[in-house]
Amino acid sequence: ASIIILCLFRTVANYIQWRTVFSKITTLSRRFLYRYLDFARVTTGTTSLTPRWDKCVNYVENSLVYATGRLFVDTHFQEDKKHMMEELIEGIRWAFIDMLEKENDWMDQQTKTKAIEKAHAVLAKVGYPEFILNDTYLTEDLKQLEFNEKDYYGNVMQTLKFIAQSDISWLRRSVPRTEWFTNPTTVNAFYSSSTNQIRFPAGELQKPFFWGREYPR
């Protein structure tokens, strides 16, 4: 029995190691990439590799979300869209409450009251967090990262460590409802039930998803 358990542990350990190595193969040199392509061709039918520049750009955008979000907001975002969406959200909030009070006939009054309280408490996150406009904050946040244009793998590993340390810092702490966990460049909009937030990142407030004042509300 002990031999079986030992073999099981070894198998699990080998699998974990393999998954760790496999997840970072595409950050290595060309000869590793071609081995990965051989594997992916059999398992998924992939016939080509993502260009390195494309992979790097996506990795930076998804890893350094506030720094890249700042660049996006400075270059492409129009503030009037942020203000317009905030107005629309308030209109939706009050229309919802009005419907609860005047048209809803299947809730009892106690439940209606709770629903109205929750509607008032919905926190709207629109565009981007204000702190990304603060150069000092961004510099302080990223000062421990030292990137090397010749070491993509090293850049990825230190960024992963940076993100992990940031996540761990929230352990045993209350996460404030004002905290953003969304990249401003995200092209999506959603409601977070765990924080009672409605989110419209700057990336979503662009054509063809949001036309601003050029079209009727």
Side-chain angles (χ1 to χ4, degrees), residues 3 7 16 56 65 78 80 86 101-102 109 117 132 143 157 176 192 195-196 210 213 215:
I3 294 177
C7 289
I16 292 173
C56 289
V65 295
Q78 298 84 39
D80 62 330
E86 289 171 341
E101 293 177 332
K102 297 179 180 179
Q109 189 55 48
E117 289 175 2
I132 70 170
K143 68 179 182 181
M157 295 309 292
S192 169
T195 57
N196 198 23
F210 188 75
R213 301 188 185 279
Y215 277 69

Side-chain angles (χ1 to χ4, degrees), residues 85-103 115-122 198:
M85 179 53 71
E86 289 171 341
E87 293 173 0
L88 288 172
I89 290 172
E90 285 308 303
I92 293 170
R93 189 196 310 274
W94 288 108
F96 178 78
I97 292 172
D98 186 66
M99 180 182 68
L100 275 173
E101 293 177 332
K102 297 179 180 179
E103 300 178 25
I116 292 171
E117 289 175 2
K118 185 173 182 180
H120 280 297
V122 171
I198 186 169

Side-chain angles (χ1 to χ4, degrees), residues 157-192:
M157 295 309 292
Q158 69 164 321
T159 305
L160 287 174
K161 180 180 179 181
F162 170 76
I163 294 172
Q165 289 174 332
S166 177
D167 290 342
I168 291 172
S169 70
W170 288 110
L171 287 176
R172 298 182 178 86
R173 292 173 55 195
S174 296
V175 179
R177 288 188 65 224
T178 53
E179 188 71 16
W180 277 68
F181 293 103
T182 306
N183 189 337
T185 65
T186 300
V187 184
N188 204 345
F190 32 80
Y191 171 75
S192 169

